[in-house]
Amino acid sequence: MKKYRLKPFITKNIINYKENLNPQQLEVVEKADGPSLVLAGAGSGKTRVLIYRLAYLLEKGIDPRNILLVTFTNKAAAEMIHRAEALLKRSLTNLWAGTFHHIGNIILRKEASSLGYSSNFTIIDKEDSKDLIDDCIEELGLSNKKLFPKKDIISHIWSLAVNSLKEVEEIILNFYPHIEEFTSQIKRLLDFYNRKKKEANIMDFDDLLLGWLSLLKIEEIKNKYSRIFQYILVDEYQDTNRIQFEILKKISGYHRNILVVGDDAQSIYSFRGAEINNLLDFPTTFKGTKIFKLEINYRSPSPILNLANNIIKHNINQFPKQLRAIKSKGKIPVVVKTEDVYMQARFVSQRILEIVEEGIPLKEIAILFRSRYQALELEVELMKRNIPYLVRGGLRFFEQAHIKDILSYLKFVTNPKDELSFKRAISLHKGIGRGFANKIWRNLTTKGMDMEEIYRKLPARQKEGFKEFMDLIRKIKKISGCEKAIREIISSYRDYCYLSFDNPEDRILDLEELAKMAKNYPTIKRFLYEVSSYEEFKGETLLSGYSKEDLLVLSTIHQAKGLEWEVVFIIGFCDYEFPHPKALNDPKALEEERRLFYVATTRSKEQLYIVYPQHRYTLKNGLIISRASMFLYELDRSCFEEWTAENYQNL
């Protein structure tokens, strides 16, 4: 067997670690040999610890070619390397650093022949991957099957199966039970998809991990890399999935110097395949593990951390931590009770204007929510008040595909000359793609054919979809109220939504929120007129000193993890919205919802507002009286003060 000798890498000691690190951080940097689990509380300087640990190893003579630094974005890896280079005053170009996918790509290029690939394989992105799946659906004749899932769903099933190392059947049963009848066809489709990729010498992003793990099942290759990687440093370990865990287990087997940094209290991505047990079971999996805790928080003041500690102590499956603040003074968090979602929107908007008047810029204020649909009334209110905002990691409410789909029907009904809306709406029906939509429109407008004549001339496969579309248009025209019209469209659109998007239930909730909003408008025309004014923020801002960079942030809590703002509002904090109703009968899911609340509160550097409406309207139950989230009643009342929003009622 080939020998892999590790030569010392000589560098001069130039860093004063005691001066730059607190005692908890210093202990990690100096003593984390062997399997080491660093439990890094929110705002405790975990990135700093990783950078100084990396610098410490290099100063001790470890060759950068024998260190692997794994992060969850390549940008994070580049920033860490840049800061380490600044500390050491030298280049670290030979360091193995980047995401799991990046490292997998490098190793696969070197070892591709062992898997039957050539080293010049092509990597296809998500969109190309979905297009290839679409081609496979066509080639196998599955597009002819009624209600067969769209390419986005198939892509998500494949990705979840790879990252969780679970069978396709299990993924479908757990995430897509409504398409269980197609399980055998989906498996055949994915086999065909994988065969076509190999024939074309291409890999998708999931193949980079699957291929890397396959290589490590070859003893000689596993031995080679486990000897090369003398020290392994892993960031955001609570977000790793099963395949990443198996890779780490294999490449750390020889030297056993694996240091993982994470926080079980911030594990909130199970829907993406993240597995909290990777962290909770780390000491069991890696015998002799040293456990370090980083509990000194540099972000939030004591009152906010008291609340956060009070939240997370109710979880059973965790490594207990007690965050301690460097900022001893601060404002106590505020829980705000409002009459309904409209008053919630008015209160938050008015309070933001006051906070800006106090000197805090808009970009230092964030509004967080559990689910996207909860922000609709707020967006409308912000637009009315000319408060500029951006939606982090997503589109404004009315820019989202499913919202535009529903509106396209309404636009065509009110304006039969609207070509774009007609094509968008009719393309949502079985058998009618953009090509047929163009042809039908030309027949209607250029050739002057009526609908019945067009119907007779269509192929059988397109007739069904065309008839569905026309029947729906006739129904909408007969309905007087805008809300009822939207609900009629939703009932037709529901199947398309479930077969086209990987988060159909969230999108249906958005649509129900749209219908609820439409209740306030007597006609479809009036509703569309109002909506059109929301398409883009164009007016002069009411806020002095506004610039394009100074925007209020709206975000789901999932998108906000890792970020921080001076002021944070959490809205929609009421029963059956937070925690998510599906979590109520699942103790594991309920603990993740509690962690989500913890993550939201620890984003704030100065002020925290938790807002909930007392009345809500749902499609199923109509107007209901609501109370604050069950999580609020778990808390010690001394952790927050309570306001009512009555003073904002007439603003």
Side-chain angles (χ1 to χ4, degrees):
M1 182 182 289
K2 186 176 177 181
K3 300 282 186 182
Y4 295 91
R5 294 186 61 195
L6 303 177
K7 297 178 182 178
F9 178 76
I10 307 302
T11 187
K12 187 178 177 183
N13 288 8
I14 57 173
I15 302 169
N16 186 330
Y17 294 95
K18 281 188 178 181
E19 195 176 274
N20 289 283
L21 301 166
N22 69 40
Q24 291 181 340
Q25 295 170 337
L26 182 64
E27 187 180 18
V28 175
V29 168
E30 293 183 339
K31 297 181 180 178
D33 286 336
S36 299
L37 172 60
V38 180
L39 300 166
S44 63
K46 70 175 180 61
T47 303
R48 187 177 188 82
V49 167
L50 276 170
I51 291 164
Y52 275 83
R53 175 63 180 169
L54 173 60
Y56 181 83
L57 292 173
L58 293 167
E59 283 201 330
K60 292 300 176 188
I62 305 301
D63 192 316
R65 289 171 293 189
N66 299 124
I67 299 175
L68 171 62
L69 171 64
V70 186
T71 60
F72 267 74
T73 66
N74 287 317
K75 181 183 176 185
E79 287 175 359
M80 286 189 198
I81 292 169
H82 177 72
R83 287 171 61 181
E85 287 177 335
L87 282 173
L88 293 164
K89 298 181 170 43
R90 66 172 307 275
S91 171
L92 298 177
T93 53
N94 291 328
L95 189 77
W96 292 77
T99 64
F100 280 94
H101 295 86
H102 175 73
I103 304 299
N105 180 31
I106 293 172
I107 292 173
L108 281 162
R109 296 286 176 194
K110 297 174 184 290
E111 314 289 349
S113 60
S114 297
L115 298 179
Y117 280 85
S118 62
S119 61
N120 66 337
F121 62 83
T122 305
I123 301 171
I124 55 174
D125 63 19
K126 273 288 181 192
E127 289 311 307
D128 287 339
S129 168
K130 289 174 185 177
D131 288 344
L132 180 57
I133 288 171
D134 231 6
D135 291 343
C136 293
I137 290 172
E138 284 294 328
E139 286 188 52
L140 293 175
L142 295 171
S143 59
N144 297 324
K145 290 190 174 292
K146 190 173 182 180
L147 301 180
F148 190 78
K150 300 287 193 298
K151 60 185 179 181
D152 293 67
I153 302 291
I154 304 298
S155 173
H156 196 237
I157 289 169
W158 163 245
S159 190
L160 278 175
V162 170
N163 287 290
S164 62
L165 292 179
K166 290 179 179 175
E167 295 297 326
V168 168
E169 295 96 326
E170 189 176 350
I171 298 299
I172 293 172
L173 193 62
N174 290 337
F175 293 90
Y176 299 101
H178 58 282
I179 59 170
E180 191 180 357
E181 64 183 290
F182 296 112
T183 298
S184 60
Q185 290 102 316
I186 291 170
K187 286 181 69 178
R188 184 161 64 95
L189 168 63
L190 287 173
D191 287 342
F192 187 49
Y193 166 69
N194 287 319
R195 194 161 69 247
K196 283 183 78 74
K197 283 186 295 178
K198 193 155 190 178
E199 288 169 358
N201 198 40
I202 60 178
M203 292 190 188
D204 61 30
F205 283 123
D206 296 310
D207 291 324
L208 296 177
L209 298 186
L210 195 58
W212 186 6
L213 182 60
S214 298
L215 286 173
L216 295 175
K217 291 177 181 177
I218 302 169
E219 198 68 17
E220 184 181 353
I221 294 176
K222 184 191 79 172
N223 290 338
K224 173 182 175 181
Y225 287 98
S226 68
R227 282 170 167 77
I228 287 174
F229 297 137
Q230 188 179 358
Y231 283 89
I232 300 169
L233 311 175
V234 186
D235 191 18
E236 301 287 8
Y237 185 68
Q238 77 281 343
D239 295 335
T240 54
N241 55 42
R242 203 66 198 172
I243 195 168
Q244 292 163 342
F245 168 76
E246 291 297 333
I247 287 168
L248 289 173
K249 204 162 66 167
K250 288 182 181 297
I251 61 172
S252 63
Y254 187 77
H255 296 286
R256 300 188 74 248
N257 289 317
I258 177 169
L259 180 152
V260 300
V261 180
D263 183 6
D264 51 293
Q266 297 187 72
S267 178
I268 58 172
Y269 295 124
S270 64
F271 66 95
R272 292 183 191 166
E275 178 53 73
I276 190 173
N277 287 328
N278 290 353
L279 190 149
L280 295 177
D281 296 341
F282 188 88
T284 306
T285 306
F286 297 89
K287 302 298 182 186
T289 292
K290 298 175 185 173
I291 298 177
F292 303 87
K293 292 184 181 182
L294 303 180
E295 298 172 299
I296 300 171
N297 178 283
Y298 292 89
R299 178 187 299 150
S300 309
S302 285
I304 289 175
L305 294 188
N306 288 342
L307 178 70
N309 288 330
N310 214 260
I311 291 166
I312 206 64
K313 75 178 185 181
H314 295 281
N315 272 5
I316 296 168
N317 298 300
Q318 65 165 317
F319 289 105
K321 291 180 297 299
Q322 193 73 13
L323 292 179
R324 304 194 300 276
I326 291 293
K327 303 176 185 175
S328 57
K329 295 181 180 178
K331 294 185 177 180
I332 191 168
V334 179
V335 173
V336 185
K337 178 170 62 176
T338 69
E339 183 180 329
D340 55 25
V341 290
Y342 302 104
M343 185 186 284
Q344 175 179 254
R346 291 196 296 273
F347 165 76
V348 172
S349 300
Q350 180 62 28
R351 186 70 192 113
I352 285 168
L353 290 170
E354 293 169 359
I355 289 167
V356 170
E357 281 294 313
E358 293 165 10
I360 295 176
L362 268 182
K363 65 182 179 182
E364 280 297 332
I365 306 171
I367 302 168
L368 307 182
F369 32 86
R370 171 65 183 81
S371 301
R372 181 67 182 84
Y373 74 89
Q374 292 175 302
L376 171 57
E377 293 83 7
L378 179 64
E379 285 196 55
V380 171
E381 188 67 25
L382 292 172
M383 291 176 202
K384 284 179 180 175
R385 293 176 183 246
N386 244 5
I387 300 175
Y389 69 92
L390 65 86
V391 179
R392 179 172 164 75
L395 300 168
R396 290 168 178 254
F397 187 85
F398 293 102
E399 294 170 348
Q400 297 175 99
H402 53 297
I403 302 297
K404 293 174 79 170
D405 287 345
I406 299 302
L407 294 178
S408 67
Y409 291 96
L410 300 180
K411 288 178 179 179
F412 176 66
V413 165
T414 57
N415 177 17
K417 293 182 179 180
D418 187 340
E419 179 181 353
L420 288 176
S421 294
F422 172 81
K423 289 178 181 177
R424 184 179 191 112
I426 200 168
S427 296
L428 300 171
H429 293 266
K430 181 174 170 56
I432 302 178
R434 296 298 289 182
F436 264 101
N438 281 324
K439 187 176 180 181
I440 292 168
W441 180 256
R442 283 197 303 272
N443 287 337
L444 274 173
T445 55
T446 308
K447 297 183 180 180
M449 296 168 64
D450 62 29
M451 292 296 189
E452 290 301 323
E453 191 177 356
I454 291 171
Y455 175 76
R456 287 195 302 271
K457 293 190 175 184
L458 282 173
R461 185 162 169 253
Q462 278 70 40
K463 278 185 176 179
E464 183 183 349
F466 185 80
K467 185 176 185 304
E468 281 178 2
F469 171 74
M470 289 312 304
D471 287 347
L472 180 56
I473 293 297
R474 290 190 192 100
K475 285 179 183 176
I476 297 169
K477 286 180 177 178
K478 291 177 182 176
I479 295 171
S480 56
C482 187
E483 181 194 15
K484 288 181 180 177
I486 291 176
R487 295 207 186 284
E488 187 67 46
I489 299 167
I490 292 171
S491 66
S492 170
Y493 184 79
R494 191 177 294 269
D495 282 344
Y496 175 88
C497 194
Y498 271 93
L499 296 168
S500 301
F501 302 115
D502 59 21
N503 59 341
E505 291 178 354
D506 290 341
R507 292 180 189 252
I508 294 295
L509 286 171
D510 283 351
L511 298 177
E512 288 176 3
E513 201 69 15
L514 182 72
K516 186 174 75 175
M517 177 187 175
K519 190 177 183 181
N520 299 320
Y521 298 91
T523 65
I524 293 174
K525 190 176 287 187
R526 180 66 189 172
F527 175 69
L528 290 175
Y529 174 77
E530 188 79 7
V531 166
S532 66
S533 67
Y534 299 150
E535 287 180 356
E536 191 65 44
F537 175 82
K538 293 172 182 171
E540 290 296 315
T541 178
L542 299 177
L543 307 175
S544 59
Y546 161 68
S547 69
K548 287 183 179 178
E549 291 74 32
D550 191 17
L551 298 172
L552 175 71
V553 176
L554 273 63
S555 176
T556 64
I557 301 169
H558 286 102
Q559 286 281 349
K561 184 173 164 291
L563 303 175
E564 58 184 41
W565 296 272
E566 292 290 323
V567 182
V568 169
F569 291 83
I570 303 170
I571 64 169
F573 193 67
C574 51
D575 258 356
Y576 295 97
E577 292 196 1
F578 199 159
H580 194 283
K582 280 188 174 180
L584 296 176
N585 297 315
D586 181 348
K588 188 176 178 181
L590 191 61
E591 290 205 344
E592 181 161 334
E593 292 289 308
R594 195 176 283 111
R595 294 195 294 269
L596 200 60
F597 182 29
Y598 171 87
V599 165
T601 60
T602 53
R603 299 310 94 202
S604 174
K605 295 192 282 186
E606 291 296 337
Q607 299 180 46
L608 175 64
Y609 299 87
I610 301 168
V611 192
Y612 71 95
Q614 295 177 89
H615 299 121
R616 295 186 299 116
Y617 183 87
T618 66
L619 177 63
K620 186 177 180 181
N621 300 311
L623 186 67
I624 60 173
I625 297 173
S626 184
R627 67 171 197 161
S629 165
M630 61 178 283
F631 293 150
L632 188 68
Y633 298 97
E634 296 176 346
L635 303 177
D636 188 318
R637 297 305 244 199
S638 66
C639 290
F640 57 88
E641 62 181 65
E642 295 182 80
W643 292 3
T644 60
E646 290 174 358
N647 294 336
Y648 295 84
Q649 196 164 6
N650 298 315
L651 295 175

